[in-house]
Amino acid sequence: MHMGLDGKRAMVLASSAGLGFAVAKALAAEGCRLAICSREAGRIEAAAASIREATGAEVVPTALDVTRAGELTAWIDETAARWGGLDIVVSNSGGPPAGRFDELDPGDWDDAYRLTLRSALETVKAAGPHLGPGSAVVLMTSLTVKEPLGNLVLSMVFRAGVSALAKALADEWAPRGIRVNQLIPGRIVTARVAAMDERTARRRGVSAAEVRADQEAVIPVGRYGSPDEFARAAVFLVSDAASYITGASLAVDGGLIRSIT
Amino acid sequence: MAAASGGLGFAIARALAAEGCRVGLCGRDGYRIERAAAVIRDETGAEVTPAVADVAEPGATAAWLDGLAGAWGGLDLVVANAGGPPPGRFADTRPKDWDAAYRLTLRSALELAAAARPHLGAGSAVLFMTGPVVRQPVGTLVLSGIMRSGVAALAKALADEWARAGIRVNHLIPGRIATDRVAALDADTASRRGMTLEEARAGYEAQIPLGRYGTIEEFARAAVFLLSDAAAYITGATLNVDGGMIRAIV
């Protein structure tokens, strides 16, 4: 299927590892130019080198902290100025810490807001002026936007805000020919998921492997997904193959989420 | 590909053929399904096998799928499709309308799933199509809402039940894609509201963020994606292809 991504100018947030890295690499393999970012200079430069080596694409790494107001805007403006505009933006950020509501304090709320919701708001605010007809945005959320998870209250609250933002932007930017969609990763093999499994393992006094086996038992396909499997869905949604898809959400979860539609 | 002589079914069959699939098609009318098959063959060079079957007739889908699977030694991709019931409010419907809607829209999907299952193995994929009515009510599409909601629930149930066999099951929601069915719905709206067909369509387009109806090719590309190995970790999912029309947030 023709994806029409050759030469597109793409920015992927939080892309030194995990989902962001896999999406950046998959877009590079389709012929996009890539700008990628994460907090640590060494890690994002290594990620860029790895993508360059695998795909031959132009990859520009930048170290920044998405929770510090203005850093995303500066990065996006500089990247757009270098390339004369942007075609694809994939927003992603770490998830807030796990915990039930009673275990969290206002400092945790504020941190989670900056990390998960405000970073998405700043990304699209900064990217908007640089996007034109035919461009596409994907915001990543999590399965907590479709079903509650009691120990991920902050994720539920702030990722739900990102979902609402994606839908609002799909409406607001459609007349400009900009599509905005939402991807919902289930349990994909990343360092974040491994860390969550380890925390769960410590809490229950079992091994991380046992936790993973328990989690896999409730996933209909019986296994965690790979970052590459997730990335292919992102590639589809930002490509011309999805030209009539905007305001949609797509779960890449091996059937895990229980809501029917 | 069930019900493939025109519209969405035809477009998906053609897109799959263009990707290199062998394609079996069915439709009610022998002339129309033969013609659809000839068009796809001419455009893609694919092996296309048309059959006359009315998915609303008990046993017809099963006989069609068993025949195809027998010829090919199995099936890899199955796409359910059926016409929607006629528009109407609940008060406009009679029990015979419920029964007809059930046979056409929901029973046809149940039979297709049951008939396909023995022929599917690891790596195969099934796709169901419903409509925006499964996400938000439309007052004049009551039977469609009921029967298509049943299809949505079936898709999710099968995703669970068949996952361990390596069979993925997903669900596509077409918004207003330019087909004869949508033109007929527009005509119904026009006659209810005393307006022209063009005015009815313009009214709907004004409610679509992208400002236009989709093309059948745009819809078919989403089907190809969900059926392909690129969607290997996607099952039990629902994807709107609606230009942003549906108002539900997720």
Side-chain angles (χ1 to χ4, degrees):
Chain A
M1 190 154 59
H2 179 64
M3 291 298 185
L5 292 170
D6 201 36
K8 292 276 178 82
R9 302 157 294 187
M11 302 189 76
V12 182
L13 277 74
S15 36
S16 64
L19 303 181
F21 175 77
V23 170
K25 188 172 163 183
L27 289 172
E30 293 287 330
C32 293
R33 285 179 277 177
L34 260 299
I36 61 176
C37 75
S38 78
R39 261 176 306 189
E40 284 179 49
R43 294 190 64 209
I44 197 65
E45 279 157 20
S50 155
I51 295 172
R52 262 186 234 116
E53 194 177 337
T55 65
E58 175 188 341
V59 187
V60 184
T62 300
L64 61 85
D65 182 349
V66 301
T67 65
R68 295 208 344 225
E71 293 201 4
L72 278 167
T73 302
W75 174 56
I76 289 166
D77 285 345
E78 282 162 22
T79 304
R82 177 187 306 117
W83 288 337
L86 298 173
D87 301 299
I88 292 165
V89 176
V90 180
S91 178
N92 176 28
S93 73
R100 305 182 70 82
F101 183 74
D102 286 348
E103 299 160 4
L104 301 160
D105 61 35
D108 297 320
W109 312 342
D110 297 343
D111 288 347
Y113 163 68
R114 279 191 295 271
L115 177 65
T116 302
L117 178 51
R118 193 188 179 290
S119 67
L121 287 160
E122 184 173 328
T123 298
V124 296
K125 185 71 174 176
H130 306 301
L131 296 169
S135 58
V137 175
V138 165
L139 302 182
M140 294 189 206
T141 59
S142 85
L143 57 85
T144 54
V145 306
K146 287 230 190 195
E147 67 177 51
L149 269 181
N151 69 333
L152 290 176
V153 171
L154 291 178
S155 172
M156 287 176 65
V157 170
F158 292 105
R159 298 222 194 260
V162 176
S163 285
L165 173 64
K167 193 70 181 174
L169 287 178
D171 284 356
E172 204 166 314
W173 289 356
R176 295 173 52 204
I178 305 166
R179 297 182 302 103
V180 183
N181 290 296
Q182 179 190 166
L183 268 181
I184 302 177
R187 292 191 88 81
I188 311 288
V189 180
T190 61
R192 165 149 171 98
V193 165
M196 287 169 67
D197 286 355
E198 273 160 31
R199 264 198 307 278
T200 306
R202 277 197 301 275
R203 205 173 57 235
R204 293 194 199 150
V206 298
S207 73
E210 285 171 282
V211 169
R212 177 164 170 168
D214 286 351
Q215 299 275 5
E216 288 181 331
V218 299
I219 300 170
V221 302
R223 62 177 177 88
Y224 285 6
S226 74
D228 291 342
E229 289 177 310
F230 180 79
R232 287 197 288 265
V235 167
F236 168 71
L237 284 178
V238 300
S239 77
D240 290 349
S243 56
Y244 200 58
I245 302 179
T246 192
S249 54
L250 177 62
V252 184
D253 70 342
L256 175 64
I257 293 171
R258 295 294 80 206
S259 72
I260 286 176
T261 60
Chain B
M1 177 70 237
S5 56
L8 304 181
F10 171 75
I12 292 173
R14 183 169 61 183
L16 290 171
E19 293 288 329
C21 294
R22 285 177 279 173
V23 183
L25 313 175
C26 79
R28 267 176 306 182
D29 180 293
Y31 172 73
R32 291 190 67 216
I33 198 69
E34 295 280 355
R35 192 181 54 182
V39 168
I40 295 172
R41 254 184 240 118
D42 283 353
E43 286 186 18
T44 66
E47 176 188 332
V48 185
T49 309
V52 177
D54 179 353
V55 296
E57 185 193 318
T61 303
W64 169 58
L65 286 183
D66 286 347
L68 272 179
W72 288 339
L75 299 172
D76 301 300
L77 310 174
V78 178
V79 185
N81 186 27
R89 301 187 160 277
F90 183 69
D92 304 331
T93 69
R94 297 289 173 271
K96 68 174 170 47
D97 301 318
W98 312 340
D99 298 345
Y102 162 66
R103 278 194 303 274
L104 175 63
T105 303
L106 177 51
R107 193 189 179 289
S108 63
L110 290 158
E111 180 171 321
L112 178 125
R117 177 62 188 90
H119 308 302
L120 297 171
S124 59
V126 176
L127 194 57
F128 291 92
M129 293 189 246
T130 63
V133 285
V134 306
R135 294 232 197 233
Q136 60 189 35
V138 177
T140 55
L141 292 175
V142 172
L143 289 180
S144 176
I146 292 166
M147 300 307 165
R148 294 205 194 275
S149 293
V151 174
L154 174 65
K156 191 71 181 175
L158 294 177
D160 284 357
E161 204 165 315
W162 294 354
R164 293 301 162 105
I167 304 166
R168 297 182 302 104
V169 183
N170 289 297
H171 166 201
L172 270 180
I173 301 182
R176 291 191 95 80
I177 311 291
T179 61
D180 292 346
R181 157 99 179 148
V182 165
L185 292 173
D186 287 353
D188 178 69
T189 300
S191 74
R192 279 170 195 274
R193 301 199 190 148
M195 52 174 64
T196 67
L197 189 62
E198 291 69 30
E199 286 169 324
R201 176 163 174 162
Y204 283 114
E205 287 180 332
Q207 297 168 38
I208 300 169
L210 286 183
R212 62 178 176 87
Y213 285 8
T215 68
I216 56 176
E217 291 80 11
E218 288 177 309
F219 182 76
R221 287 196 284 266
V224 168
F225 168 70
L226 286 175
L227 292 166
S228 76
D229 289 348
Y233 199 60
I234 302 179
T235 192
T238 305
L239 178 62
N240 303 339
V241 185
D242 70 339
M245 181 179 75
I246 293 170
R247 296 292 81 206
I249 287 175
V250 291

